[in-house]
C-alpha cells in the first residue's frame, strides 16, 4: 500500500490535488462529496483504533483479575469473547485499509488524466462508487460484530451477577458463622470486578460498532449522491455546449453581414425641390396663368354671341 500508516485520506497530497482541481472547475458539489467520503473513511479508521485500544485494555484487565477457582474458570470464556471481538476488529481494519488504497489509486488516475485532458476527466470521480461494494461488506461485518457483542455482553452480565451473588452469599455465610447479622445486598449497588474489567469495555466497543454502522450508511449514501451530482453536471455542461454551438454560427453571420454594410456619405439629389414660400409662389403664378386663359376663352365666346 502506498499510503503511510495512520495517515488520513484527507491529508493525502493526491486527494488534496483532486479536490483543488474539482474546485477550480466549478464542481462544488463533487468537491464536497469527495471530501466527505474521504472523511467518512478516515472516521472508520479512527473508530477501529479506539476499539482496538478498548480490547487491549480488556485483555490486560482479564489477565490481572484475582486468581481463584471460580474466576479461573471464567477467564477462559472471557478471553475467548475478547479474542472474537479482536479478530472481527482486525478484519474490519483490513477492509478499511483496502478502501483507502482504492480511493487513493482512483484519485491518482483521475488527477493524471485531468491534467492531460481537462475537465471532462474529472467526471471520473463517479468511479469512487467502486468502493461501495467494499463498504457494504464492511457494514455486514460490523452488523455481525454487533450481534456477537450483544450476546457476549448478556453472558458477561449474567456471569458478573452470578459472581456478585455468590460473593454476597459467601459473605453472609461468614457473618452468620461469626454471629453477625446478614447484610441485605439488594439495598446496595455492588459491582463485581468483571463488570469493570470486561463488561464496560464490551459496551464501549458495542457503542463504537453502532456508530460505525451509521457512519457506513452515510458513506454509502454519499457515494450515490456523488454519482448523481456527476451525472447532473455532465448533462448541464453538455446542454451549455450545444447552446454555444448553436449561437456561434448566428454570431458569425451577424458579424459577416455587419462587415458587408457600406456606409456612404450623404449626397445631393440631382432633382431640386421647392419648399415652403417658393412652392406657394410658384403655385400662385400657375393659378394666375390658368385664370387669364379662362378669361380669354370667355371673351371669345361673348364676341361670337354678338
Amino acid at each position: 500500500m502506498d499510503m503511510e500508516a495512520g495517515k488520513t485520506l484527507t491529508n493525502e497530497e493526491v486527494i488534496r490535488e483532486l479536490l483543488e482541481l474539482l474546485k477550480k472547475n466549478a464542481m462544488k458539489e463533487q468537491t464536497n462529496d469527495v471530501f466527505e467520503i474521504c472523511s467518512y473513511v478516515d472516521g472508520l479508521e479512527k473508530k477501529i483504533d479506539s476499539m482496538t485500544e478498548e480490547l487491549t485494555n480488556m485483555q490486560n484487565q482479564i489477565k490481572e483479575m484475582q486468581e481463584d477457582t471460580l474466576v479461573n474458570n471464567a477467564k477462559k470464556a472471557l478471553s475467548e469473547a475478547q479474542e472474537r471481538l479482536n479478530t472481527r476488529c482486525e478484519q474490519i481494519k483490513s477492509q478499511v485499509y483496502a478502501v483507502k488504497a482504492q480511493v487513493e489509486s482512483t484519485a491518482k488516475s483521475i488527477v493524471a488524466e485531468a491534467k492531460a485532458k481537462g475537465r471532462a476527466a474529472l467526471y471520473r470521480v463517479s468511479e469512487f462508487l467502486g468502493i461501495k461494494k467494499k463498504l457494504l461488506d464492511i457494514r455486514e461485518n460490523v452488523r455481525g460484530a454487533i450481534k456477537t457483542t450483544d450476546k457476549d455482553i448478556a453472558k458477561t452480565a449474567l456471569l458478573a451477577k452470578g459472581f456478585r451473588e455468590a460473593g454476597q452469599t459467601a459473605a453472609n455465610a461468614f457473618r452468620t458463622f461469626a454471629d453477625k447479622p446478614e447484610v441485605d445486598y439488594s439495598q446496595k449497588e455492588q459491582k463485581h470486578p468483571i463488570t469493570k474489567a470486561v463488561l464496560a469495555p464490551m459496551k464501549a466497543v458495542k457503542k463504537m460498532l453502532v456508530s460505525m454502522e451509521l457512519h457506513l450508511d452515510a458513506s454509502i449514501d454519499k457515494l450515490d449522491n456523488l454519482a448523481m451530482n456527476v451525472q447532473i453536471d455532465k448533462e448541464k455542461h453538455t446542454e451549455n455546449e450545444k447552446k454555444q454551438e448553436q449561437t456561434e454560427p448566428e454570431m458569425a453571420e451577424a458579424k459577416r453581414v455587419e462587415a458587408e454594410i457600406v456606409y456612404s456619405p450623404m449626397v445631393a439629389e440631382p432633382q431640386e425641390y421647392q419648399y415652403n414660400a417658393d412652392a406657394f409662389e410658384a403655385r400662385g403664378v400657375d393659378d394666375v396663368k390658368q385664370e387669364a386663359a379662362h378669361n380669354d376663352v370667355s371673351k371669345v365666346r361673348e364676341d361670337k354671341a354678338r
Side-chain angles (χ1 to χ4, degrees):
M1 187 183 300
D2 293 336
M3 293 182 62
E4 297 176 19
K7 190 171 184 180
T8 60
L9 274 176
T10 49
N11 284 327
E12 278 294 321
E13 184 178 350
V14 69
I15 298 297
R16 288 183 172 275
E17 197 169 2
L18 175 59
L19 293 171
E20 189 62 29
L21 284 171
L22 289 167
K23 188 177 179 182
K24 284 182 178 178
N25 283 276
M27 298 173 76
K28 183 179 178 182
E29 290 81 6
Q30 292 84 344
T31 303
N32 292 336
D33 291 339
V34 171
F35 178 79
E36 288 184 33
I37 288 166
C38 292
S39 296
Y40 281 134
V41 175
D42 289 339
L44 292 173
E45 190 174 15
K46 288 178 182 177
K47 291 180 188 302
I48 292 170
D49 289 340
S50 297
M51 284 169 56
T52 301
E53 188 177 339
E54 285 288 349
L55 291 170
T56 300
N57 178 53
M58 180 172 142
Q59 185 181 38
N60 293 333
Q61 292 272 13
I62 292 172
K63 288 179 180 178
E64 293 174 4
M65 285 173 64
Q66 185 178 354
E67 297 290 336
D68 61 44
T69 304
L70 287 175
V71 172
N72 283 340
N73 290 335
K75 283 176 75 172
K76 183 180 178 182
L78 294 172
S79 293
E80 287 175 353
Q82 186 271 333
E83 282 299 323
R84 279 195 298 272
L85 274 175
N86 197 61
T87 299
R88 183 82 74 161
C89 184
E90 289 299 320
Q91 288 174 353
I92 295 171
K93 183 186 289 186
S94 177
Q95 288 175 306
V96 172
Y97 282 163
V99 168
K100 289 180 70 176
Q102 185 172 341
V103 169
E104 186 196 20
S105 174
T106 303
K108 279 184 178 179
S109 177
I110 294 171
V111 168
E113 187 176 346
K115 287 180 178 179
K117 299 182 179 179
R119 190 181 195 275
L122 293 173
Y123 289 133
R124 286 185 54 202
V125 292
S126 60
E127 292 178 17
F128 282 125
L129 199 62
I131 67 171
K132 184 175 180 178
K133 176 64 168 59
K134 286 184 172 65
L135 293 177
L136 289 169
D137 290 342
I138 294 173
R139 187 172 67 180
E140 194 62 29
N141 210 349
V142 167
R143 287 174 176 173
I146 291 172
K147 290 179 181 178
T148 301
T149 305
D150 278 337
K151 291 178 181 178
D152 287 335
I153 286 173
K155 290 177 182 178
T156 304
L158 188 62
L159 185 63
K161 181 182 178 183
F163 275 122
R164 184 173 63 251
E165 290 177 351
Q168 292 168 357
T169 300
N172 276 330
F174 282 115
R175 295 179 74 84
T176 301
F177 185 78
D179 295 326
K180 293 182 179 180
E182 292 185 359
V183 175
D184 183 4
Y185 289 102
S186 64
Q187 302 301 316
K188 296 183 178 181
E189 186 179 358
Q190 297 286 325
K191 290 185 179 180
H192 192 272
I194 288 179
T195 302
K196 180 182 178 182
V198 183
L199 196 56
M202 276 187 180
K203 287 182 177 180
V205 169
K206 196 284 183 75
K207 186 177 180 180
M208 290 174 200
L209 287 168
V210 170
S211 178
M212 281 186 73
E213 183 181 6
L214 295 174
H215 220 63
L216 285 159
D217 288 342
S219 303
I220 293 164
D221 288 343
K222 187 56 66 175
L223 283 171
D224 292 334
N225 196 57
L226 172 61
M228 180 184 68
N229 281 332
V230 166
Q231 186 60 33
I232 291 173
D233 188 272
K234 189 183 294 185
E235 291 173 358
K236 183 179 178 181
H237 198 66
T238 301
E239 185 179 347
N240 289 338
E241 285 181 341
K242 285 182 179 178
K243 286 181 179 178
Q244 189 173 358
E245 287 174 1
Q246 292 171 354
T247 305
E248 283 177 355
E250 294 175 2
M251 292 177 64
E253 178 64 16
K255 288 181 180 179
R256 186 187 67 77
V257 171
E258 185 178 2
E260 289 181 355
I261 295 175
V262 178
Y263 293 97
S264 302
M266 294 293 293
V267 295
E269 294 289 341
Q271 183 179 357
E272 294 184 359
Y273 293 93
Q274 294 174 321
Y275 296 95
N276 302 326
D278 292 338
F280 283 111
E281 185 178 349
R283 183 178 177 184
V285 171
D286 290 339
D287 291 343
V288 169
K289 287 179 179 179
Q290 289 177 7
E291 186 178 350
H294 178 71
N295 290 338
D296 289 341
V297 171
S298 298
K299 187 177 180 182
V300 170
R301 286 176 179 174
E302 288 175 0
D303 289 340
K304 286 181 179 182
R306 289 177 185 168

